């Protein structure tokens, strides 16, 4: 009798471990796919910015994917930060950020999934930050 209960509990344990393993593998592949997609999108945005912006250097900063809450920025799913060094533009930084945002909407696949993007315009005399949430300058 004890051996029957022992084999049943062993089978249940093996089944639980197998199900846990399958769920873990599926979750791991999903996370890997999300990270790869996010990296591809960031590289595409950076390339598009380099092609359409008259800047000395463009760097991608921290990027966040997943639900985030900020008192100043509210709730967002994807946040991207870009630093644009020594840019040459005649309009204001807000107009330049809006122009770049419009270009990114047209040229970058899956750009519409980005909820929040921040452009840091840095030069010798000025440092300006422009935040865009869902296509609207904040």
């Amino acid at each position: 009798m004890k051996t029957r209960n022992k084999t049943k509990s062993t089978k249940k344990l093996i089944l639980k471990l197998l199900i846990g393993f399958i769920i873990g593998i599926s979750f791991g592949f999903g996370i890997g796919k999300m990270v790869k997609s996010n990296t591809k999108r960031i590289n595409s945005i950076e390339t598009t910015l380099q092609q359409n912006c008259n800047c000395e250097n463009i760097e991608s900063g921290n990027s966040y994917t997943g639900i985030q809450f900020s008192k100043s920025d509210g709730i967002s799913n994807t946040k991207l930060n870009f630093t644009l060094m020594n840019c040459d533009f005649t309009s204001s930084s807000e107009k330049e950020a809006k122009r770049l945002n419009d270009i990114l909407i047209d040229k970058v696949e899956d750009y519409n999934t980005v909820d929040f993007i921040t452009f840091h315009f840095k030069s010798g005399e000025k440092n300006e930050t422009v935040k865009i949430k869902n296509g609207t300058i904040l």
Side-chain angles (χ1 to χ4, degrees):
M1 196 68 147
K2 286 186 179 182
T3 56
R4 232 183 228 169
N5 288 339
K6 194 173 186 181
T7 57
K8 282 185 179 180
S9 65
T10 303
K11 287 181 181 180
K12 286 182 181 179
L13 178 64
I14 290 172
L15 182 63
K16 287 179 183 177
L17 288 173
L18 184 62
I19 290 171
F21 180 74
I22 291 169
I23 291 171
I25 292 295
S26 300
F27 183 74
F29 277 118
I31 294 295
K33 187 176 179 181
M34 183 182 69
V35 168
K36 187 176 179 181
S37 171
N38 193 37
T39 303
K40 181 181 174 184
R41 181 177 41 237
I42 290 171
N43 289 339
S44 179
I45 290 171
E46 195 169 350
T47 301
T48 303
L49 287 174
Q50 289 173 350
Q51 291 171 351
N52 294 287
C53 192
N54 191 12
C55 296
E56 206 172 273
N57 188 20
I58 297 172
E59 298 173 358
S60 61
N62 297 331
S63 65
Y64 307 100
T65 301
I67 298 173
Q68 300 118 46
F69 178 77
S70 169
K71 286 184 179 180
S72 61
D73 302 330
I75 297 173
S76 64
N77 187 33
T78 306
K79 284 186 179 182
L80 301 177
N81 295 307
F82 291 95
T83 303
L84 296 95
M85 306 290 283
N86 297 324
C87 294
D88 184 25
F89 53 89
T90 57
S91 61
S92 68
S93 57
E94 287 88 11
K95 287 182 181 178
E96 181 67 7
K98 178 69 174 148
R99 183 185 76 82
L100 293 174
N101 189 54
D102 291 340
I103 290 170
L104 291 172
I105 289 170
D106 291 338
K107 293 190 177 187
V108 176
E109 184 179 338
D110 291 334
Y111 182 72
N112 58 346
T113 61
V114 176
D115 294 331
F116 196 84
I117 188 164
T118 304
F119 293 114
H120 301 282
F121 294 98
K122 293 188 176 185
S123 63
E125 63 275 352
K126 289 193 236 188
N127 289 332
E128 296 179 304
T129 300
V130 179
K131 296 179 180 182
I132 298 175
K133 184 172 184 178
N134 296 325
T136 306
I137 295 178
L138 298 178

